[in-house]
Amino acid sequence: RELQYWERLKKLKLMSLQRRRERYCIIHVWKILREEAPNDVGFTFKLHQRHGLRAEIPAVNKSAQLSVRSDYDSTFRVRAAQLFNLLPPELRSLTTLGSFNAALDRFL
């Protein structure tokens, strides 16, 4: 009881809520890529020679109000793609969910 939040997480070998949410987003994008989940948000992927397979992030209208751009940047579609693209190419290219989850946990 007397341990602080971060100390309790470390002792219990748990990730923070924010990290768990990010992990979920990354796994969901990977599942969409591998057609293990429906692509209901319209993700598209492109193979880049230098960066490997990446989720495409559609551009926002630059003339839109700042609040609209801020809302757009925080959508699942944009945030999840950004997180997925931060992964090393060798991690994004794994083909089985078990190996991807294990590698993702080591990475995070």
Side-chain angles (χ1 to χ4, degrees):
R1 253 289 163 174
E2 61 268 352
L3 296 176
Q4 296 297 321
Y5 176 72
W6 295 106
E7 294 167 334
R8 281 183 281 163
L9 286 178
K10 188 173 184 177
K11 183 176 181 179
L12 296 171
K13 298 180 182 171
L14 294 174
M15 292 185 253
S16 69
L17 291 174
Q18 177 66 30
R19 183 66 72 195
R20 282 184 266 176
R21 279 190 290 270
E22 291 172 347
R23 182 180 183 276
Y24 166 79
C25 289
I26 293 168
I27 291 171
H28 193 69
V29 173
W30 183 89
K31 284 182 174 183
I32 290 172
L33 169 67
R34 301 294 172 204
E35 297 179 349
E36 293 183 18
N39 189 0
D40 51 358
V41 289
F43 278 102
T44 56
F45 300 90
K46 186 174 181 183
L47 184 61
H48 294 265
Q49 185 175 1
R50 186 168 154 218
H51 300 292
L53 193 61
R54 295 174 59 93
E56 294 282 296
I57 303 171
V60 67
N61 185 349
K62 297 295 183 192
S63 63
Q65 290 179 337
L66 184 59
S67 62
V68 171
R69 287 183 287 181
S70 178
D71 289 344
Y72 172 81
D73 288 340
S74 63
T75 62
F76 175 81
R77 168 77 173 85
V78 172
R79 192 69 192 123
Q82 289 171 336
L83 290 168
F84 183 78
N85 291 341
L86 289 173
L87 298 176
E90 58 275 4
L91 186 64
R92 292 191 304 257
S93 64
L94 292 173
T95 56
T96 64
L97 182 59
S99 63
F100 180 75
N101 284 342
L104 181 61
D105 288 342
R106 285 190 302 271
F107 180 75
L108 295 177

